[in-house]
Amino acid sequence: PEMVELKQNCSARGVKLLSTLLSLKLDSAFVEMTRMPWATLSSVGDTSPYVATISSVVEADVTIIRKWLTETGAQKSPFFGTFCDQAVVNISATFIDSLFHCKRISEVGSQNLLLDLHCLRTLLVQLPVLGTADAAGGAPPSDDGLTPPPPTATGRPPLDPSRQRFIRYVDGRIKRAEMILKVIGAPQETLADK
């Protein structure tokens, strides 16, 4: 019993450390976010350059971390799921913290940040499947392991309950940043007087 508990504690700390290391690798991208001229943007454009940096780092690192955490000999390792949950917490918290470090944000700037946040949400939702055939558009196998499950009304295969739970989890973490940006982007006239 003591060895099992020791292994679980070591594993939990290792997963938390991997998530923290990923966050540290993203710090320069979030610093770039805070230095963007959000107050002077004249129109909503494409996603910002810092989002591409975050995406490339996350995609590369998560693919490697997936291999490390799923090669435990167990059929379904809980470690990678825990890593994904912790990565979502860290990245969403850093995004919100970076928002408060931006100098000024105009209405157009907040709309562009909402676009960036949507791209980050899309990336975070894909964390559990990055580096797999599912991420590349392949369908997961059915219960018999040979044929893909029948498509839903949208033409896509149905999501398993753990993916649905993870998507709700990501949405819950992203919602606070969305609300902050919507308040920042609201015209002054629509905000109530103090």
Side-chain angles (χ1 to χ4, degrees):
E2 286 182 24
M3 290 304 286
V4 171
E5 186 176 325
L6 179 63
K7 180 185 177 204
Q8 288 174 341
N9 287 339
C10 287
S11 298
R13 287 183 181 173
V15 167
K16 187 169 181 145
L17 179 63
L18 285 171
S19 177
T20 301
L21 290 173
L22 175 63
S23 295
L24 289 173
K25 288 179 86 172
L26 300 176
D27 276 351
S28 63
F30 282 111
V31 167
E32 183 182 346
M33 171 189 161
T34 63
R35 294 183 179 156
M36 296 278 298
W38 300 114
T40 59
L41 292 179
S42 59
S43 64
V44 178
D46 224 0
T47 57
S48 305
Y50 76 92
V51 176
T53 302
I54 291 171
S55 293
S56 65
V57 169
V58 168
E59 287 173 7
D61 286 14
V62 169
T63 301
I64 294 167
I65 292 169
R66 162 188 281 292
K67 289 177 186 170
W68 290 344
L69 296 180
T70 56
E71 290 178 356
T72 61
Q75 191 73 310
K76 289 256 185 178
S77 170
F79 303 128
F80 186 68
T82 304
F83 166 79
C84 289
D85 289 348
Q86 190 63 46
V88 168
V89 168
N90 291 348
I91 293 170
S92 61
T94 305
F95 183 88
I96 291 170
D97 186 53
S98 298
L99 278 179
F100 289 113
H101 284 88
C102 292
K103 301 261 187 272
R104 291 185 54 102
I105 302 173
S106 67
E107 289 178 40
V108 173
S110 73
Q111 291 172 358
N112 213 93
L113 281 162
L114 278 168
L115 175 65
D116 293 346
L117 183 62
H118 176 73
C119 291
L120 287 176
R121 179 212 172 268
T122 302
L123 174 69
L124 293 176
V125 164
Q126 292 297 315
L127 284 180
V129 295
L130 283 177
T132 66
D134 203 16
S142 65
D143 291 336
D144 65 6
L146 302 174
T147 58
T152 60
T154 63
R156 297 184 187 138
L159 294 176
D160 66 43
S162 64
R163 277 296 301 281
Q164 291 173 352
R165 180 208 59 85
F166 186 74
I167 290 169
R168 285 192 305 272
Y169 181 72
V170 170
D171 288 343
R173 300 301 299 192
I174 294 295
K175 190 157 250 357
R176 181 170 177 230
E178 277 181 351
M179 298 307 286
I180 292 168
L181 286 169
K182 286 179 181 177
V183 169
I184 290 171
Q188 293 279 337
E189 310 82 59
T190 62
L191 298 176
D193 291 328
K194 290 184 178 181

